[in-house]
Amino acid sequence: MSDNPLTHVLEMDGEERYDYFLDAVVEERELWILVNADNHFLKIVSEEDRVAYLPVWPGSDFALDYAKGAGDLSPKSISLPDFFKKWVPGLTRDGLGVGVFPGAESELWITEPEELKKDLQEVLSGSGF
């Protein structure tokens, strides 16, 4: 374990990172994606699993860490209401999953946009906000 909180969180397994993501996104009311200089969002296609997904992070620090060395990618926040209203239907329509909180080497939790929305809403309803 490291003293760096970023490293500590990235060392969690996929399920722990997923739970961390849900709590952090509900608390901040936003999630983060990476965009290029043309404002196109990063989409990853896994040849191995034949899955295309939008990677999302709970904070800009994590997105920046993932993008280091990738050149023109920069973090962009999406508000939770925007994600629910615009992104979930759009991702579903385009057949894209959501890659929740990818780290450098570790496993990744890929879920359907509607599932992520449902999980976030459950945390929201239980959070007392």
Side-chain angles (χ1 to χ4, degrees):
M1 285 289 166
S2 143
D3 290 338
N4 181 341
L6 194 75
T7 306
H8 172 71
V9 173
L10 290 172
E11 287 171 350
M12 293 176 176
D13 69 27
E15 191 169 350
E16 290 172 323
R17 279 202 325 274
Y18 187 77
D19 290 340
Y20 178 94
F21 174 87
L22 294 176
D23 291 339
V25 166
V26 164
E27 187 174 316
E28 298 298 325
R29 296 288 198 268
E30 66 185 3
L31 52 94
W32 293 80
I33 62 171
L34 289 169
V35 296
N36 66 13
D38 296 326
N39 212 28
H40 295 142
F41 65 85
L42 174 65
K43 173 176 83 174
I44 297 175
V45 179
S46 167
E47 296 298 323
E48 194 177 297
D49 305 325
R50 298 188 186 277
V51 173
Y53 63 90
L54 170 74
V56 295
W57 291 269
S60 62
D61 291 352
F62 294 110
L64 268 175
D65 184 68
Y66 185 85
K68 68 181 173 225
D72 70 346
L73 292 175
S74 58
K76 177 181 174 148
S77 72
I78 300 173
S79 73
L80 215 44
D82 262 8
F83 183 72
F84 288 166
K85 282 189 220 126
K86 297 176 186 167
W87 285 81
V88 168
L91 292 168
T92 302
R93 184 184 58 243
D94 294 345
L96 286 174
V98 181
V100 176
F101 202 174
E105 304 294 324
S106 42
E107 66 209 46
L108 174 62
W109 193 290
I110 299 176
T111 187
E112 295 300 316
E114 285 293 336
E115 278 296 306
L116 179 57
K117 179 181 176 181
K118 187 173 72 92
D119 289 348
L120 284 165
Q121 287 173 326
E122 279 178 19
V123 175
L124 271 169
S125 65
S127 67
F129 287 106

